[in-house]
Amino acid sequence: MNTVRIQGVGWINATGWGRVLQSQAGAYGDGAGIPPWKDPGLFPVPVKNMARFDVAARMTLCACALAMRDAGWTLGDGTKRDMGLVGTNGEGCLTANQTYFQDYLAGGRVLARANLFVYTLPSSPLAEAAIHFGLQGPMLYIGYPGGGLAELLGTAVLMIAGGDAGGMLAVKADEREAVAFILAPGNGGGGSLSVGDLVKGLPAGAGNRDWIERLEQMMKGSGGV
Amino acid sequence: MKVLVVQQDLVTAWGRGMEACWAGLMSGAPAFTDVSRFSTKAFNAHIAAQIPGLPEGGDSSRVMRMLAPLLAPLAGALPEGTLVLLATTTGEVDLLERHLLSGTPARDQSRLDVLLGRIQAVLGVTGPGRIISAACASSSAAIAHGASLIAAGERDSVLVVACDAVTEFIYAGFASLMALDPEGARPFDKARKGLTAGEAAGVVWLMSGERANRENRRSLGEVAGWGMSCDANHMTGPSRDGGGLANAIDKAFRRAGVDCGSVGSVSAHGTGTPYNDAMEMKAFRQVFAESPVPVYSIKGSLGHTMGAAGLIEMLVALKSMEMQVVPPSANLHEVDPEAVGWVSRHGVTTDGMNVVLSTNSGFGGVNAALVLKS
């Protein structure tokens, strides 16, 4: 894990958002709602059809955008990137499955809605992110029962080290919280954190909040970026 | 580190095992039958490639009934440390259908991690497994992931389990997208109109060459290269230029250390939808520099088995090298002009075919390619 560095981290939850390497965080104002998918500061170019996305897809997009901004990337310029996307969550797309099939049943089992059916894949939110951000590397969902972010980052590192992509966006997104990491090859220096140091400092089963706090500690320890 | 296939099993609409599957494919006929498990009256198609003889009713899901005979011989046989990868798109979604229709079983019984737990319980595996889902490239993505772990020395034994069933859930969804061909899928046919839903389950046991040699395991073939990409273009439609798939194939070639001249045949995703098959032919023409290589699709025979498709197609591709025969593309009547010279409705006998390519694509623009060696 020493040759792959974290270049950006973004998170959102029920009360706020953060960009870890830039030490930026904020709380939602009254009525702002979560996730902040209409915020032009986050999405300079509006995400096509985002109003139709399910909540998990919106959370995924928001966390990815925050991570990319944290890495200092310009968003919405139409650039295609040799970057892969691997994502995980707790329950796959069970809620989307239920929404789609309930709607079909309510309609008399005659006609399903295509725009609900397309979200009945665990990889659908990732696909929306890949399309909006122009990510042309590998794109897949991996569920890690009993595991989580450490395994997700390990997969992203494996894919970079194996030459599958020039960089990876790794995201864990549920309906109430999401965190995304930008990983790329590198040997240290300013503007990045060690994946290995991060993972070593956390117990198995650590939650998103534990990860964010660990990252913030690392930032303080390095004097910031 | 070499990645070898040391054991496999499958069940398809042609029945249990590769011999039944191969015989069915070589017949050139579709294994499509009328759907009777749910009403298709409201849809434009009424057929699917369904596994015959599966017991109906009971508490278990259809995919577990498909998987049980495949998993039983492996129970207790996997060495400690074997990682189980489950590849699927919807898993036990028929349990969710039942829950929403009758209240039982509980909603969570259709979670993919619950299915993985059931599979591991049958196998007697206690360590953590993983669920891989990349739309209709799920099982090729799982094979790629397992191969990556072995190649990097992180694992030396990985079992990939793939499954998806024909359910009202998916049938209604594909119907809503107008993606079903009422006459049955006709991959690479000039008049193709869409796919036919299919179901299948399969298992592939991957092992490092070192461990396989140490344990005197017979190799059924090598997963020599893999590559994935995303079109980053559209949720349900592929990139029109085939560039994304070509990119995945290039990665797989580089990983395998082969070039296009060494590839004896291509197992295409070949769903039978107008856009998918056109995209694939553009990619193949680009990769193979307009020099035709035998291309085939088994989906005109076995239907689109979704998350299981990549694994089933990989096993058929390995069998084709063993038999030195490129299987026919079933249900093909008039070859699309873009595929003339590449795709045939007849099987082709070859000689010296020891490298083949297998590709899959799916919703969200995902592409996956596997290079296999005999």
Side-chain angles (χ1 to χ4, degrees):
Chain A
M1 291 195 178
N2 291 332
T3 56
V4 175
R5 306 283 295 182
I6 298 168
Q7 297 191 334
V9 184
W11 59 266
I12 53 171
N13 61 24
T15 56
W17 57 270
R19 300 199 304 260
V20 173
L21 272 68
Q22 293 183 356
S23 300
Q24 298 285 316
Y28 303 128
D30 286 346
I34 61 162
W37 55 275
K38 290 182 179 173
D39 182 354
L42 198 54
F43 297 105
V45 173
V47 183
K48 194 178 173 188
N49 298 325
M50 198 155 177
R52 295 198 325 211
F53 291 8
D54 68 3
V55 177
R58 288 181 196 161
M59 293 293 278
T60 300
L61 265 288
C62 289
C64 290
L66 286 161
M68 291 172 154
R69 293 283 302 278
D70 199 40
W73 292 10
T74 303
L75 300 184
D77 60 358
T79 303
K80 300 283 188 183
R81 295 177 167 91
D82 175 25
M83 171 159 281
L85 179 53
V86 59
T88 193
N89 67 8
E91 67 163 29
C93 56
L94 183 57
T95 299
N97 287 354
Q98 181 168 349
T99 302
Y100 155 77
F101 203 69
Q102 268 178 330
D103 179 78
Y104 166 72
L105 293 178
R109 298 167 91 166
V110 172
L111 187 65
R113 274 203 246 190
N115 64 340
L116 295 179
F117 181 60
V118 297
Y119 293 108
T120 63
L121 294 167
S123 54
S124 293
L126 306 174
E128 293 285 16
I131 292 165
H132 182 74
F133 297 117
L135 309 180
Q136 295 187 308
M139 186 270 289
L140 73 164
Y141 166 92
I142 304 187
Y144 305 93
L149 279 169
E151 290 80 5
L152 178 72
L153 293 180
T155 297
V157 169
L158 176 75
M159 296 179 81
I160 293 170
D164 296 323
M168 290 294 295
L169 214 169
V171 57
K172 181 169 184 265
D174 287 299
E175 292 192 357
R176 294 191 57 77
E177 60 177 10
V179 59
F181 297 79
I182 303 277
L183 292 95
N187 291 309
S192 67
L193 293 171
S194 158
V195 180
D197 289 349
L198 171 61
V199 173
K200 272 187 284 188
L202 282 158
N208 283 8
R209 198 61 248 168
D210 301 316
W211 282 77
I212 301 304
E213 286 174 6
R214 169 70 184 148
L215 283 160
E216 288 169 349
Q217 283 170 4
M218 288 173 69
M219 289 303 300
K220 284 177 188 161
S222 68
V225 178
Chain B
M1 181 78 72
K2 276 191 175 182
V3 181
L4 302 180
V5 177
V6 297
Q7 198 163 325
Q8 58 82 15
D9 203 351
L10 74 166
V11 62
T12 69
W14 286 118
R16 169 84 185 277
M18 178 49 78
E19 295 309 316
C21 179
W22 183 255
L25 292 173
M26 292 307 295
S27 75
F32 304 155
T33 53
D34 290 338
V35 175
S36 58
R37 280 179 283 122
F38 51 87
S39 172
T40 59
K41 205 164 67 177
F43 310 136
N44 73 323
H46 312 285
I47 56 173
Q50 302 164 96
I51 294 172
L54 275 185
E56 291 299 330
D59 293 335
S60 63
S61 67
R62 191 160 176 87
V63 293
M64 274 310 290
R65 278 176 274 146
M66 291 155 58
L67 282 169
L70 312 183
L71 298 175
L74 292 165
L78 298 172
E80 193 175 335
T82 298
L83 177 68
V84 177
L85 300 178
L86 166 63
T88 187
T89 59
T90 56
E92 297 181 295
V93 79
D94 50 338
L95 299 184
L96 180 66
E97 292 178 354
R98 285 187 227 166
H99 167 76
L100 294 173
L101 286 164
S102 68
T104 57
R107 171 184 183 268
D108 281 357
Q109 290 299 302
S110 69
R111 285 173 61 132
L112 299 181
D113 54 346
V114 173
L115 172 58
L116 176 61
R118 290 189 224 280
I119 290 167
Q120 290 190 289
V122 174
L123 293 169
V125 172
T126 53
R130 295 180 182 180
I131 301 147
I132 311 284
S133 198
C136 295
S138 292
S139 53
S140 39
I143 290 161
H145 184 57
S148 290
L149 290 166
I150 291 173
E154 292 192 19
R155 298 279 179 162
D156 62 6
S157 175
V158 175
L159 184 76
V160 180
V161 179
C163 58
D164 262 320
V166 173
T167 59
E168 186 173 0
F169 184 100
I170 67 101
Y171 209 95
F174 282 125
S176 74
L177 290 165
M178 302 300 289
L180 300 173
D181 187 334
E183 296 172 52
R186 292 166 279 179
F188 301 109
D189 193 285
K190 188 179 176 185
R192 66 187 183 275
K193 288 182 180 169
L195 59 87
T196 294
E199 60 189 4
V203 294
V204 164
W205 188 354
L206 303 175
M207 196 174 272
S208 70
E210 187 182 71
R211 180 166 193 153
N213 285 338
R214 197 170 64 237
E215 298 182 1
N216 287 320
R217 304 265 182 186
R218 186 170 80 92
S219 170
L220 306 175
E222 179 188 354
V223 182
W226 51 91
M228 289 187 70
S229 69
C230 183
D231 294 340
N233 178 58
H234 193 271
M235 277 300 281
T236 56
S239 166
R240 300 292 173 91
D241 66 6
L245 177 58
N247 182 19
I249 294 170
D250 284 341
K251 287 180 188 176
F253 281 0
R254 279 203 301 274
R255 172 79 80 151
V258 303
D259 58 30
C260 60
S262 54
V263 174
S265 68
V266 179
S267 170
H269 192 51
T271 58
T273 62
Y275 289 133
N276 175 84
D277 295 6
M279 176 279 287
E280 281 194 282
M281 283 314 305
K282 283 198 169 63
F284 299 150
R285 285 178 174 279
Q286 186 180 326
V287 167
F288 293 100
E290 299 288 337
S291 180
V293 172
V295 171
Y296 65 95
S297 166
I298 63 172
K299 291 188 177 74
S301 183
L302 291 173
H304 190 346
T305 57
M306 300 165 284
L311 187 146
I312 302 300
E313 289 159 14
M314 182 185 94
L315 294 180
V316 169
L318 291 175
K319 182 71 176 177
S320 77
M321 282 193 285
E322 179 195 329
M323 303 301 288
Q324 289 295 304
V325 172
V326 179
S329 292
N331 224 13
L332 179 62
H333 304 287
E334 185 178 358
V335 181
D336 186 287
E338 290 298 309
V340 169
W342 298 70
V343 180
S344 170
R345 62 180 161 183
H346 303 293
V348 179
T349 302
T350 65
D351 185 27
M353 180 171 65
N354 51 26
V355 179
V356 295
L357 173 68
S358 184
T359 65
N360 294 102
S361 300
F363 278 6
V366 64
N367 302 290
L370 300 174
V371 172
L372 310 168
K373 294 182 178 176
S374 56

